[in-house]
Amino acid sequence: MTLKEGRRVKLAVDIGLADAVVMAEGAAAGPVAGFLALAAGTEGTVDRVVGEQEPSGEVREYERLKSLLDSFGHDMPPESRRQLEGKVGSLESAWAAHQERGAGVMVRVRFDNGFVLDGARDDLFTPA
């Protein structure tokens, strides 16, 4: 999925963030350990995308044909299915290269509950 600023997303997996917090002066002495967990399905809005790459025509075609195969391949005549599988197979190298490059895409998401997650991989999110 290509994320863009302003797009609504939700977490695809549970994530946990742990860090030590030092109490302000005048509060109880010593560090306090805390743990924050955000549940899968938590929704928010993309504030920023860093390293965004527009997919090539081959990548878009792979996504389109793969979706068609996954959705309707079981109902297709055998020869049509084989042809579609061949076309998908011929585009898999472009798809793999795109997936490899896409690993560098990072986002900043402002969740509806007020939390902000910055520097997160885009594959942690799905459309809301």
Side-chain angles (χ1 to χ4, degrees):
M1 169 180 71
T2 302
L3 295 181
K4 299 196 181 309
E5 289 181 17
R7 183 170 189 172
R8 296 285 300 161
V9 293
K10 62 183 172 182
L11 275 172
V13 297
D14 292 340
I15 60 171
L17 309 169
D19 201 356
V21 178
V22 177
M23 299 298 287
E25 286 185 41
V32 175
F35 183 80
L36 171 67
L38 294 171
T42 302
E43 295 189 12
T45 303
V46 176
D47 275 352
R48 183 178 56 223
V49 179
V50 178
E52 183 176 8
Q53 296 184 12
E54 189 64 30
S56 69
E58 287 181 321
V59 169
R60 287 192 303 272
E61 183 68 358
Y62 173 86
E63 290 174 328
R64 185 183 74 81
L65 294 176
K66 181 71 169 138
S67 176
L68 181 66
L69 182 63
D70 291 346
S71 297
F72 302 105
H74 61 280
D75 291 332
M76 291 180 164
E79 185 57 32
S80 296
R81 181 179 169 88
R82 275 193 292 279
Q83 287 177 357
L84 184 56
E85 287 171 339
K87 289 178 184 177
V88 169
S90 70
L91 296 168
E92 282 181 350
S93 61
W95 174 251
H98 171 73
Q99 291 294 95
E100 186 69 29
R101 284 188 308 271
V105 177
M106 307 298 266
V107 296
R108 175 186 169 111
V109 174
R110 183 173 305 277
F111 293 103
D112 295 345
N113 62 11
F115 290 113
V116 175
L117 183 60
D118 197 6
R121 294 188 336 257
D122 67 338
D123 62 350
L124 294 175
F125 301 93
T126 59

